[in-house]
Amino acid sequence: MIVKTAKFLVSNSYYQNCPKPDKPEYAFIGRSNVGKSSLINKIVGINGLAKTSGKPGKTQLINHFFVNEEWYLVDLPGYGYASIPLKIKAKWETMISGYLQTRKNLLNTFVLIDIRHAPQKKDIDFIENLAEYQIPFSLIFTKADKVTRRQLKENLKTYEGYLKESWEELPGIFVTSSETGLGAERVLDYIEQTNKVFVYQPE
Ligand code: GTP
Ligand code: MG
C-alpha cells in the first residue's frame, strides 16, 4: 500500500469519545519506549506525526490518525512503565482495556515487543488477556537495527519457542526497525489485505 495522506485527528482519554467506528482501525500497543510512535511515523512516512521521546511515558492518550482517508491508526500509551504514579497507571489501564474491549472497528492490535529482550511477563500477560477477550492481534518485534542478524534470529526463535509452550498456533509476527524502515512495507501490506474484510456495522 502506498500512503498518500496521513493526518492526526484527535486525542482522547475516554474511549467513548473516539471517532465513529465506521472505518477499519489498527492499534499500536506495547511497553513504554518500545517504539510505537516511531513505527507509526515510519509507516506513514511523516516524521513527528506521532510524538516520540527517549523517555518512557510520552504517549498518554488514545491518538487517532487517519490514513489515506480510509483507515485509522491508533497510538496508545505504553504499559509496564514502573515510574508512573499508580493512580495514573490505573487510569491508563482502564482507558486502554476499555478501548480494546469495546472498539468495534478494531481489526487488529499490533503488540510491539523490543527484539533485544527475552520474553517478559508483562508482555505475555498482555497478549494472554487479548486472547481471553478474543481481540485479534499480531506481534511486532521492534528495534531490529540494534541487534545483529544472528541475534535477531536467535531471539525470535526463543520467543516463538516460548509461545509454542502454551499456544497451538502462533500469532502473526513482524520484525521492524524505525531506523532502517525494515518491516514497514509488510505491516502496510497486511493492513491493506485486512482492510478488505471490514464491514461497518451500525449500532
Ligand atoms: P511511549 O509513548 O512512551 O509509550 O513510547 P513509544 O513506544 O511510543 O516509543 P517511541 O516511539 O517514543 O520511541 C522510544 C525511543 O526509542 C526513542 O528514543 C526512539 O528514537 C527509539 N526507537 C524507536 N524505534 C526504534 C528503532 O526501531 N530503532 C532504534 N534504534 N531506536 C528506536
Ligand atoms: Mg509513544
Side-chain angles (χ1 to χ4, degrees):
M1 184 196 310
I2 293 169
V3 174
K4 293 186 206 121
T5 58
K7 59 183 178 202
F8 167 72
L9 273 192
V10 65
S11 296
N12 280 296
S13 50
Y14 294 104
Y15 59 87
Q16 295 93 330
N17 296 340
C18 288
K20 190 174 163 190
D22 60 352
K23 307 268 188 312
E25 182 157 311
Y26 302 87
F28 276 40
I29 184 80
R31 294 168 74 93
S32 284
N33 217 39
V34 70
K36 301 175 290 293
S37 305
S38 303
L39 189 59
I40 285 177
N41 291 336
K42 196 72 199 178
I43 281 174
V44 301
I46 305 176
N47 271 339
L49 185 66
K51 299 279 174 292
T52 65
S53 167
K55 272 193 262 161
K58 178 69 180 171
T59 309
Q60 310 206 347
L61 297 163
I62 303 167
N63 298 289
H64 272 78
F65 300 91
F66 196 29
V67 186
N68 286 350
E69 313 236 327
E70 190 191 352
W71 52 278
Y72 294 128
L73 197 48
V74 175
D75 193 13
L76 294 168
Y79 55 77
Y81 176 44
S83 319
I84 290 168
L86 273 182
K87 228 176 146 180
I88 295 181
K89 225 192 237 173
K91 195 179 153 205
W92 286 7
E93 276 167 17
T94 311
M95 174 167 86
I96 294 169
S97 60
Y99 165 81
L100 292 172
Q101 287 169 32
T102 57
R103 195 73 180 149
K104 288 215 164 69
N105 58 333
L106 185 62
L107 295 188
N108 190 58
T109 298
F110 291 103
V111 181
L112 276 65
I113 294 168
D114 191 322
I115 188 71
R116 292 173 294 174
H117 306 314
Q120 303 204 6
K121 189 174 182 318
K122 286 227 166 83
D123 293 320
I124 300 295
D125 286 350
F126 191 83
I127 60 179
E128 278 175 356
N129 272 328
L130 289 177
E132 197 177 313
Y133 285 100
Q134 298 187 311
I135 299 166
F137 69 92
S138 317
L139 303 183
I140 293 185
F141 290 95
T142 63
K143 307 196 183 184
D145 59 284
K146 290 205 180 232
V147 292
T148 61
R149 244 175 217 218
R150 190 185 161 150
Q151 270 177 316
L152 192 145
K153 259 190 167 173
E154 270 175 21
N155 292 6
L156 260 183
K157 214 169 136 191
T158 306
Y159 219 101
E160 288 179 358
Y162 184 85
L163 291 174
K164 277 181 191 155
E165 283 175 20
S166 41
W167 299 62
E168 265 177 41
E169 211 180 309
L170 288 181
I173 289 178
F174 299 86
V175 177
T176 64
S177 163
S178 298
E179 283 290 310
T180 67
L182 175 80
E185 194 59 46
R186 273 197 65 213
V187 174
L188 276 173
D189 286 347
Y190 171 85
I191 291 173
E192 186 173 28
Q193 291 309 314
T194 311
N195 278 348
K196 292 180 184 162
V197 305
F198 180 71
V199 181
Y200 174 47
Q201 286 171 323
E203 297 295 318

